[in-house]
């Protein structure tokens, strides 16, 4: 999206959508003295990391009070903010961009409601909106502006199917139709639509919105419900945050995982999870995604049969530990948790 801000058409103010934008931005990095990224979502922070790694002073401005506010919970973004600061990134939370100042047609500074930041390159990463205005009046859209489809991804027009950022999918934790703008979702919808167009009857399954990020030496992965979406759940949501070593003591191998699980406080159905580590914990979020889509409870996950080999993990895999911690499993009333 290009917000209607004074000076928005100055040179070197870039959107960041596909390979053409990437090439233009990379060219502008040559000789760049300072860059400003507008938007601390996952696109903005990934671009900011590239500037920081190139040794170019970079500022990220966001209206929200923390980075990745809609993607990750505060326990994780606190770590990200400290790591990004350590790598020279200047994050300006709770500021609104008001104007761009230029010289000879090129951007020179970004003016917010609180300060002015010098910039010879600006990246707009304040949101992505589907390019579907031309469909208005052709296909039925819902009150939020998304194209309406049935479970076979058929639209209101015969033989016309829809998927991607301009549509919604059934969300496994809430069973509601939600928009999740991810390539993973669009691809699954593409296959379902194509199979149906070819005459097979394939229903769109419920999805969890699983995503991964690797930033400033940390891996962050997330699935299902989180702080930003917990209010959408009709029942009572509970959560538990745990930090655990990944390997047995005797391996003398560094490695920790921070994790959080969301679940229904009454029936313990798993609703969401986030993991963070310097190690590769992407398989863990795959496990949690499948657990959510399968309707698993904490009790199912606590004793799930997961491998053990000291170079990979402990006899209790961290997902077992996370579920046990949420259940507060203890031995005979002892203070110490079972694991
Ligand atoms: C910088 C960036 C990084 C991302 N990284 C990830 C990631 O790591 N993982 C992930 O899961 N998701 C990622 N995403 C999100 C992902 O790219 C989108 O969710 C996904 O591409 C949406 O698919 P789509 O088919 O709806 O739209 P698009 O992929 O944008 O495709 C729509 C296509 O339709 C064309 N089009 C538009 N209007 C017309 C018309 N009138 N006639 C003909 N053609 C038209 C467009 O030119 C475009 O090629 C990223 C997005 C961005 C911007």
């Amino acid at each position: 999206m290009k917000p209607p801000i004074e000076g928005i058409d100055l040179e070197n103010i870039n959107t960041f959508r596909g390979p053409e934008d990437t090439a233009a931005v990379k060219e502008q990095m040559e000789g760049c003295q300072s860059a400003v990224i507008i938007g601390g979502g996952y696109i903005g922070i990934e671009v900011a990391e590239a500037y920081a790694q190139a040794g170019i002073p970079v500022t990220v401005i966001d209206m929200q009070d923390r980075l990745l506010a809609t993607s990750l919970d505060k326990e994780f973004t606190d770590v990200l903010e400290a790591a990004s600061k350590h790598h020279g990134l200047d994050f300006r939370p709770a500021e609104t961009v008001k104007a761009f100042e230029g010289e000879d047609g090129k951007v020179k500074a970004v003016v917010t409601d609180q300060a002015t930041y010098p910039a010879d390159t600006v990246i707009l990463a304040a949101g992505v909106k589907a390019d579907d205005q031309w469909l208005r009046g052709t296909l039925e859209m819902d009150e939020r502006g998304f194209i309406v489809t049935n479970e076979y991804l058929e639209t209101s027009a015969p033989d016309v199917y829809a998927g991607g950022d301009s549509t919604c999918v059934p969300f496994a934790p809430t069973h509601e139709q939600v928009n999740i703008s991810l390539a993973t979702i669009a691809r699954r919808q593409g296959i379902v639509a194509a199979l149906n167009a070819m005459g097979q009857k394939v229903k769109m399954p419920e999805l969890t919105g699983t995503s991964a990020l690797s930033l400033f030496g940390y891996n962050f992965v997330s699935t299902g419900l989180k702080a930003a979406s917990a209010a959408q759940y009709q029942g009572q949501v509970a959560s538990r945050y745990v930090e655990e070593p990944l390997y047995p003591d005797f391996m003398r191998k560094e490695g920790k995982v921070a994790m959080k699980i969301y679940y229904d406080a009454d029936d313990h159905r798993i609703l969401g999870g986030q993991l963070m580590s310097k190690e590769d914990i992407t398989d863990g979020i795959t496990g949690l995604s499948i657990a959510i889509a399968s309707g698993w409870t904490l009790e199912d996950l606590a004793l799930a049969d997961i491998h053990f080999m000291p170079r990979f993990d402990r006899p209790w895999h961290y997902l077992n530990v996370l579920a046990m911690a949420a259940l507060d499993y203890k031995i005979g009333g002892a203070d110490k948790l079972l694991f």
Side-chain angles (χ1 to χ4, degrees):
M1 281 195 299
K2 264 185 137 181
I5 296 173
E6 184 192 330
I8 189 89
D9 292 323
L10 286 163
E11 272 181 57
N12 296 350
I13 298 181
N14 305 271
T15 51
F16 209 79
R17 182 176 176 184
E20 299 80 22
D21 295 325
T22 320
V25 168
K26 199 164 180 198
E27 208 170 288
Q28 288 164 41
M29 281 175 104
E30 295 286 326
C32 176
Q33 300 296 313
S34 57
V36 170
I37 317 290
I38 300 171
Y42 75 85
I43 294 171
I45 188 69
E46 283 185 321
V47 182
E49 186 196 34
Y51 278 91
Q53 281 176 343
I56 300 169
V58 57
T59 302
V60 175
I61 298 169
D62 201 305
M63 293 159 77
Q64 306 265 6
D65 62 359
R66 59 190 179 89
L67 288 171
L68 289 170
T70 55
S71 306
L72 292 171
D73 286 12
K74 193 169 181 312
E75 293 91 333
F76 306 98
T77 57
D78 281 351
V79 174
L80 173 62
E81 285 178 15
S84 60
K85 191 173 180 183
H86 179 74
H87 284 84
L89 187 145
D90 177 25
F91 174 47
R92 300 294 171 147
E95 286 193 32
T96 305
V97 176
K98 293 290 182 194
F100 299 103
E101 290 176 351
E103 202 178 285
D104 301 330
K106 293 185 176 163
V107 70
K108 273 284 150 228
V110 178
V111 183
T112 74
D113 53 356
Q114 293 177 43
T116 297
Y117 301 94
D120 41 33
T121 298
V122 170
I123 312 288
L124 298 172
V128 175
K129 203 166 178 298
D131 188 5
D132 56 11
Q133 290 302 313
W134 57 282
L135 283 168
R136 309 253 146 209
T138 311
L139 299 180
E140 186 189 344
M141 308 250 180
D142 69 17
E143 64 286 353
R144 298 167 293 180
F146 297 115
I147 300 170
V148 174
T149 63
N150 63 13
E151 55 200 344
Y152 303 106
L153 301 187
E154 293 164 313
T155 67
S156 55
D159 297 326
V160 177
Y161 297 77
D165 287 1
S166 54
T167 62
C168 290
V169 284
F171 189 43
T174 59
H175 311 304
E176 300 287 336
Q177 290 282 325
V178 299
N179 173 259
I180 307 173
S181 294
L182 284 174
T184 47
I185 307 277
R187 288 190 170 238
R188 279 147 187 77
Q189 290 175 295
I191 286 291
V192 169
L195 290 172
N196 283 317
M198 290 191 302
Q200 294 188 38
K201 276 284 182 198
V202 181
K203 284 186 186 174
M204 190 63 209
E206 290 192 328
L207 300 178
T208 52
T210 306
S211 64
L213 275 169
S214 185
L215 291 162
F216 299 106
Y218 288 90
N219 300 314
F220 302 88
V221 287
S222 162
T223 189
L225 221 63
K226 55 193 82 165
S229 56
Q232 293 167 11
Y233 189 66
Q234 294 297 318
Q236 202 190 331
V237 181
S239 67
R240 179 77 194 252
Y241 174 85
V242 190
E243 291 176 12
E244 277 287 309
L246 282 167
Y247 309 107
D249 287 349
F250 62 80
M251 290 300 285
R252 298 194 178 89
K253 190 174 164 186
E254 290 281 316
K256 272 200 334 187
V257 58
M259 32 191 188
K260 189 166 181 180
I261 193 163
Y262 280 85
Y263 55 96
D264 183 297
D266 296 320
D267 65 13
H268 292 176
R269 187 166 71 91
I270 301 168
L271 303 172
Q274 292 160 73
L275 309 172
M276 176 189 72
S277 179
K278 291 183 176 176
E279 305 284 303
D280 181 359
I281 35 72
T282 48
D283 275 357
I285 212 67
T286 304
L288 274 179
S289 169
I290 295 171
I292 295 167
S294 310
W296 270 26
T297 62
L298 293 175
E299 286 81 355
D300 294 323
L301 186 61
L303 299 179
D305 184 0
I306 307 179
H307 60 78
F308 162 56
M309 197 223 166
R311 68 181 293 170
F312 296 130
D313 62 354
R314 293 159 51 202
W316 288 114
H317 187 272
Y318 58 80
L319 290 185
N320 297 131
V321 174
L322 178 59
M324 286 196 227
L327 288 166
D328 218 10
Y329 276 4
K330 288 174 183 163
I331 315 171
D335 285 342
K336 195 165 167 24
L337 290 169
L338 177 63
F339 42 86

